[in-house]
Every structure is written in C-alpha cells, then in structure tokens.
Amino acid sequence: MRLIKTKAELIDALSSVHENIALVPTMGALHEGHLSLVSAARAENDLVVASIFVNPLQFADLGDCDDYRNYPRTLEADAQLLESAGVDIIFAPDIEEMYPQGTPEIWVRTGEMGAQLEGASRPGHFDGVATVVAKLFSLVRPHRAYFGQKDAQQLAVIKRMVHDLDLRVDIRAVP
Ligand code: PAF
C-alpha cells in the first residue's frame, strides 16, 4: 500500500494503470461502514484508492468552525485499517495541496437538491461535498466510486452531479 500526499504523485502512480480503478472517498476517522465500502470496492476492481481529506468547504463558514477544527484526524490508525482491508493507495492531501489558492472560485452548485432536508440546516454543505468529490473524480479518474446509503442525500446529490455533468464514473451505493 502507498500513502500519497500530493496530486502530482497520485497522477504519476495512476498514469500507468489500465485496469479498473475504484475510489472510496472519506474524511478519515474510519469505522465499519467505511470498511464495507472498501470491501465492495476491493471485490469489483483491480486497484482501490481511498482518499482521506477533511474538506473545509462542506463545514459551516468554510471550516472556520469548531466542527471542522475538532473533526478527528487519525491518519495512522486509518492507514492501518485501510491496509488490512486491501486498499492499494491512500490519497491524503493536506489543505494547501487540495486548495492551493484557498477557497475555490468555481464550485459545483447543488441547487434545490442540496438546499432541502439536511441541507436546510447546513447551507452550502452539499455544494462543498459535490465540489470536493468532483475534484477527487478528476484526480483519480475512477471507473467506480463507492458511497454509503446511510448518507442518502449525499448519495442522491453525487448521482445527480454525475448525470448532469456527464462524469464518466459509475456510482456504487453500499448499505
Ligand atoms: O461522506 C463523506 O465522508 C464526505 O462527505 C466525502 C464524500 C468524503 C466528501 O468530503
């Protein structure tokens, strides 16, 4: 297993891969639910990439809040779990690597879909999720990406983004 922290190294590592690539996007602090995403990904693909990135854009005030500051960051333990689960590459960029110019100017806008239900009490949350997931899709170029059904609205928003933006990735929903 490789732990990769930069986009350049990730792109280089994936450039010669011609088999099916899976992406399991996470924010770390992994639990059984994440491992079931990994095991579904492992069963259906040749190479499994898991990302670990606590994305400030999906928190209140773009991360200027206690929820973001106190979010558990447990990279070492997460890496051990992912290695035992058969992940090939962990992509764990820091914030400057992911957003070198700070908050991006261009976002994915999730409209009405992102403004209702959970989005009603978390304005901008789903725009932040969709934006970082679009970036991860662009970097990893996975054939399949795995999301938990537990986060039902997130799953619906990601599926709709893939449809509306013609992104070439198969979204797999895992219980
Ligand atoms: O579900 C999560 O952990 C996050 O929302 C995701 C999909 C990794 C995007 O930051």
Side-chain angles (χ1 to χ4, degrees):
M1 191 201 61
R2 277 179 74 179
L3 173 62
I4 292 182
K5 310 250 337 167
T6 68
K7 296 175 190 173
E9 205 189 329
L10 178 72
I11 290 164
D12 185 55
L14 295 176
S15 63
S16 55
V17 175
H18 300 296
E19 300 106 331
N20 276 349
I21 299 175
L23 172 65
V24 181
T26 83
M27 298 206 301
L30 302 180
H31 51 66
E32 285 295 317
H34 296 107
L35 297 181
S36 61
L37 301 181
V38 171
S39 103
R42 185 68 282 167
E44 294 179 332
N45 301 275
D46 303 300
L47 189 131
V48 179
V49 179
S51 61
I52 298 179
F53 178 64
V54 185
N55 172 38
L57 302 193
Q58 66 191 77
F59 286 80
D61 298 325
L62 303 175
D64 188 10
C65 62
D66 287 343
D67 262 4
Y68 174 73
R69 281 188 284 269
N70 299 333
Y71 198 88
R73 288 161 172 89
T74 54
L75 182 58
E76 237 175 75
D78 291 342
Q80 275 174 18
L81 283 174
L82 292 173
E83 179 153 39
S84 326
V87 162
D88 299 293
I89 293 177
I90 299 176
F91 178 51
D94 64 21
I95 186 156
E96 290 79 18
E97 181 68 14
M98 209 53 181
Y99 299 117
Q101 290 173 287
T103 302
E105 189 66 23
I106 308 296
W107 289 53
V108 177
R109 194 180 65 81
T110 60
E112 269 305 298
M113 244 188 128
Q116 54 189 291
L117 301 170
E118 189 184 350
S121 53
R122 302 182 73 184
H125 169 71
F126 288 106
D127 289 0
V129 170
T131 300
V132 79
V133 170
K135 282 169 71 75
L136 291 167
F137 285 174
S138 179
L139 289 164
V140 176
R141 299 195 188 165
H143 297 82
R144 303 188 181 99
Y146 293 77
F147 293 86
Q149 287 171 341
K150 173 176 82 68
D151 297 314
Q153 188 174 6
Q154 170 169 282
L155 176 61
V157 162
I158 299 296
K159 281 185 173 167
R160 184 64 185 261
M161 171 177 81
V162 165
H163 179 264
D164 285 358
L165 300 183
D166 294 315
L167 302 181
R168 294 174 60 189
V169 53
D170 183 11
I171 301 302
R172 312 290 278 176
V174 180

